[in-house]
Amino acid sequence: MTTSETDRVTAAVRRLRRAGLRNTAARRGVLDQLAHAVGGRGHLTVTELHHALLVRGVAVELSTVHRVLRQLVELGIAHTVPVGRTTTFGLADDAHHHAVCGTCGDMRQLPAETVEASLAAARAVGIDPDPPGQPSGVVVYGRCAGCRTAPR
Ligand SMILES: [Zn+2]
Ligand SMILES: [Zn+2]
């Protein structure tokens, strides 16, 4: 964990406490993994999170991971982006949007300011582009470099 990962987890735990939720091993573990993912793809699936927790020795049921994620999304600590048939989860503390490879599911985070004009245009026609608890903001679907060059 880098310092900024630790800071993000600490801030998220503070928000959990304010909402009356204890800092359980499962919640803490999920937050640790989500914060760590920010430096890479940014988002993880429930299966990936569950696997990562088990590898770290945090013995939790898959259903617990689902429940923790639902709580984090309800509190606005995490948000979701659909990729193919699965849902990915990422920390929502830093405003960002997403570019997703529709073929392999690879994902990159886009800085909020790069899509601000699109969001303003949506608001202007009466659509809230970032309602709490919903798949967040703008998702650009395309194909990554690896998938473009891969032989068919
Ligand atoms: Zn995200
Ligand atoms: Zn790809």
Side-chain angles (χ1 to χ4, degrees), residues 80-83 97-100 107 110 115 135-142:
T80 63
V81 170
V83 176
H97 301 274
H98 309 85
V100 175
M107 180 188 290
L110 306 174
V115 292
S136 184
V138 173
V139 184
V140 179
Y141 291 96

Side-chain angles (χ1 to χ4, degrees), residues 57-101:
V58 184
V60 287
E61 302 280 341
L62 184 60
S63 59
T64 304
V65 179
H66 275 284
R67 194 169 58 242
V68 167
L69 286 169
R70 205 160 47 233
Q71 289 166 340
L72 294 179
V73 170
E74 274 166 16
L75 291 170
I77 295 171
H79 66 188
T80 63
V81 170
V83 176
R85 289 201 203 101
T86 63
T87 301
T88 65
F89 294 82
L91 283 187
D93 55 351
D94 185 26
H96 65 269
H97 301 274
H98 309 85
V100 175
C101 174

